[in-house]
Amino acid sequence: MPPKNPAQQLLTMPLAEVLTLLLRQFRRPLAAQGFSLTMDEEQALATAIATGEDHPKQVALIAAMRAVVDESLALLQTRWGFSFARSLASDMSAIGGWETTAEFIEIANEKSNAELRISGGSTVLVFAGEVAYAPYLLDVIEADNGAGDVDAVLAQRALCHAANVALDDTAWLAKVQQWMHNQES
């Protein structure tokens, strides 16, 4: 029997577990912003966000995560002149500045890491109620083009959670977009 698709597992995994996994992935970037959590604090904060409760470190997490995402957005813009959506849509052949394979790999990793920090960080922020980061999750979903990779599934889950739309609703995307439009009004 083939292993379960990890992206599909994220659709049914308890939300607190999803958030705990995301927070663990951000230990280093958050620490660079002066924010750290113990493993117990990660779980407690993830549970608080999942249930809509307050946590003493939530405000600091949001500030640090914003800084991580904003720094990555700035990197894409200053280094390559890319918006997040354009970066996701661009392959490495659109990026110059390298001559050797090692330079190519270094640049590809830098671009990919920035995209992952924006995607994952925006996911955490939207789960935490930071609606301003929701458009980046729509960019992830559009770039995914229906493939259902992990980042797109996490983006869908965060958007549906924030908009109070069922994950299995066939019109979830239209409902999320309407919710986002209403948030802007």
Side-chain angles (χ1 to χ4, degrees):
M1 187 167 164
K4 288 184 177 180
N5 177 339
Q8 292 305 310
Q9 287 180 300
L10 291 171
L11 287 172
T12 57
M13 182 183 288
L15 184 53
E17 287 182 38
V18 171
L19 285 162
T20 300
L21 289 173
L22 283 167
L23 290 175
R24 286 186 181 146
Q25 289 179 344
F26 277 89
R27 281 182 179 159
R28 254 189 255 159
L30 289 171
Q33 299 299 325
F35 181 82
S36 63
L37 296 168
T38 65
M39 289 179 73
D40 288 341
E41 288 173 327
E42 284 172 348
Q43 290 176 339
L45 185 51
T47 299
I49 292 170
T51 59
E53 298 172 13
D54 290 329
H55 185 279
K57 289 198 168 191
Q58 189 165 338
V59 171
L61 167 69
I62 289 170
M65 193 65 79
R66 280 181 180 166
V68 168
V69 172
D70 294 346
E71 183 179 278
S72 296
L73 288 164
L75 172 69
L76 293 178
Q77 183 61 50
T78 57
R79 181 108 155 95
W80 297 290
F82 289 166
S83 67
F84 179 55
R86 182 165 176 223
S87 184
L88 290 173
S90 299
D91 63 23
M92 285 305 294
S93 65
I95 297 175
W98 56 273
E99 293 180 21
T100 67
T101 302
E103 291 171 337
F104 173 84
I105 291 170
E106 183 179 328
I107 290 170
N109 283 335
E110 185 177 21
K111 178 181 174 289
S112 176
N113 286 337
E115 291 168 352
L116 289 170
R117 285 189 303 268
I118 295 164
S119 174
S122 294
T123 298
V124 171
L125 288 167
V126 170
F127 273 126
E130 296 296 301
V131 178
Y133 289 83
Y136 300 120
L137 299 185
L138 286 180
D139 291 340
V140 170
I141 290 165
E142 184 176 328
D144 180 64
N145 199 25
D149 78 355
V150 168
D151 295 327
V153 167
L154 288 170
Q156 176 189 358
R157 187 145 184 202
L159 289 168
C160 286
H161 175 81
N164 199 27
V165 173
L167 281 170
D168 61 356
D169 188 326
T170 57
W172 72 268
L173 184 56
K175 290 179 179 180
V176 163
Q177 289 169 327
Q178 182 61 49
W179 168 79
M180 288 175 63
H181 176 73
N182 293 342
Q183 298 297 310
E184 294 169 0
S185 301

